């Protein structure tokens, strides 16, 4: 799938190609599943982390916040996948210099 291929590129250090493939995968998943589906959230998380690898922590934060809303709605606030997203989001806030928000998110995770 495009998601797996994108993540493989990311693992090989090609975050730009990862981002491009995940953007394509996101469009397809949104059309197929709808914008509020956990599969969409999974791709949003991967895409957000690709943006973070490219140094765009603002876009990473925005994408992870969207993913978090979907995941909390689907799984509840105490699910491990929610905790992982909170940790990633906390890291994005830290890179943006918002240390208080980062701390709060990491404590929730």
């Amino acid at each position: 799938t495009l998601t797996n291929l994108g993540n493989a590129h990311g693992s090989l250090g090609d975050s730009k190609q990862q981002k491009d493939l995940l953007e394509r995968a996101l469009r397809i998943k949104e059309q197929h599943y709808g914008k509020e589906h956990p599969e969409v959230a999974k791709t949003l998380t991967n895409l957000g982390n690709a943006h973070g690898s490219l140094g765009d922590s603002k876009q990473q934060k925005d994408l992870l916040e969207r993913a978090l809303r979907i995941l909390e709605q689907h799984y509840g606030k105490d699910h491990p996948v929610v905790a992982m997203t909170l940790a990633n989001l906390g890291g994005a806030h830290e890179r943006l210099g918002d240390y208080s928000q980062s701390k709060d998110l990491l404590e929730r995770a």
Side-chain angles (χ1 to χ4, degrees):
T1 69
L2 288 173
T3 300
N4 292 337
L5 183 59
N7 289 333
H9 278 280
S11 295
L12 293 169
D14 189 352
S15 298
K16 170 72 171 91
Q17 183 67 17
Q18 178 187 23
K19 180 186 80 71
D20 292 345
L21 289 165
L22 290 172
E23 285 172 346
R24 286 176 51 201
L26 179 61
R27 285 190 299 273
I28 292 167
K29 287 184 179 185
E30 286 177 335
Q31 288 175 352
H32 181 75
Y33 295 111
K35 293 183 182 265
E36 302 298 318
H37 194 277
E39 281 297 318
V40 170
K42 191 183 311 182
T43 303
L44 286 166
T45 299
N46 290 327
L47 181 57
N49 291 331
H51 277 278
S53 294
L54 291 166
D56 189 353
S57 297
K58 169 72 170 86
Q59 184 66 14
Q60 179 186 25
K61 178 188 79 72
D62 293 345
L63 291 165
L64 290 173
E65 285 174 345
R66 184 175 161 209
L68 180 62
R69 283 190 300 274
I70 296 167
L71 294 169
E72 285 181 334
Q73 182 179 8
H74 186 76
Y75 294 114
K77 294 184 184 283
D78 294 327
H79 194 276
V81 74
V82 171
M84 215 160 44
T85 305
L86 285 165
N88 287 331
L89 185 55
H93 276 276
E94 180 180 349
R95 286 184 290 285
L96 290 167
D98 189 352
Y99 302 111
S100 177
Q101 183 67 15
S102 174
K103 176 185 158 291
D104 291 344
L105 290 163
L106 292 171
E107 285 176 349
R108 279 183 58 198

